[in-house]
Amino acid sequence: MIDIVDIKTRSRMMAGIRGKDTKPEILIRHGLHARGYRYKLHDKKLPGKPDLVFPKYSAVILVNGCFWHGHDCHLFKMPKSNTDFWRNKISRNRELDVAHEAQLIAMGWRIGVVWECSLKGKTKVNFEGLLDSIEIWLHSSEIKLSL
């Protein structure tokens, strides 16, 4: 399939995609804040700069985009152009995810991952139920959560 925009325009569009303060991340932040939870954002002292850090619970939450992290869901499709670049990029992101997760666990942090597909698309879940699951996990001793 041929791209409908020129290379410079596509490059500008891709550069405009944010790594933090994304819509899914803001949804989770607002929902948890409304329930009384307080957190730090993107703590640079922690590996991978987790999206939400809950020091009181020794927990972090990562709100992952399905495309950028190569999630096995309906929202992820490998681009048909510049495939080698994208395969390497997404593979590297996955490697970093594993490394950061291992480092965080070694430091005593618990890790929750909320995938973009749980907030939109065919596999969207009930938002209040998702927040309930996060809340239950925060008060538990479970090391990992994946939604």
Side-chain angles (χ1 to χ4, degrees), residues 72-106:
D72 185 25
C73 71
H74 71 284
L75 294 180
F76 175 73
K77 297 211 182 350
M78 184 62 71
K80 294 192 184 199
S81 62
N82 209 1
T83 309
D84 288 339
F85 168 81
W86 287 111
R87 189 174 288 113
N88 291 336
K89 170 80 172 153
I90 292 164
S91 176
R92 179 70 179 133
N93 287 349
R94 284 178 165 176
E95 290 170 10
L96 286 172
D97 289 345
V98 170
H100 293 151
E101 186 175 301
Q103 291 170 332
L104 287 164
I105 289 172

Side-chain angles (χ1 to χ4, degrees), residues 7-57:
I7 292 172
K8 284 185 180 180
T9 304
R10 175 64 61 206
S11 180
R12 183 174 38 81
M13 290 166 65
M14 294 305 284
I17 296 173
R18 295 182 230 181
K20 60 183 181 179
D21 299 332
T22 61
K23 286 181 185 179
E25 182 186 329
I26 289 171
L27 266 174
I28 298 296
R29 284 173 16 191
H30 286 217
L32 291 173
H33 191 272
R35 290 179 177 217
Y37 291 93
R38 300 302 178 254
Y39 42 80
K40 293 180 182 180
L41 297 175
H42 313 288
D43 191 339
K44 293 176 183 161
K45 296 174 190 164
L46 296 177
K49 295 184 259 180
D51 298 315
L52 294 105
V53 180
F54 299 85
K56 178 178 178 179
Y57 303 99

Side-chain angles (χ1 to χ4, degrees), residues 29 67 139:
R29 284 173 16 191
F67 175 76
H139 293 279

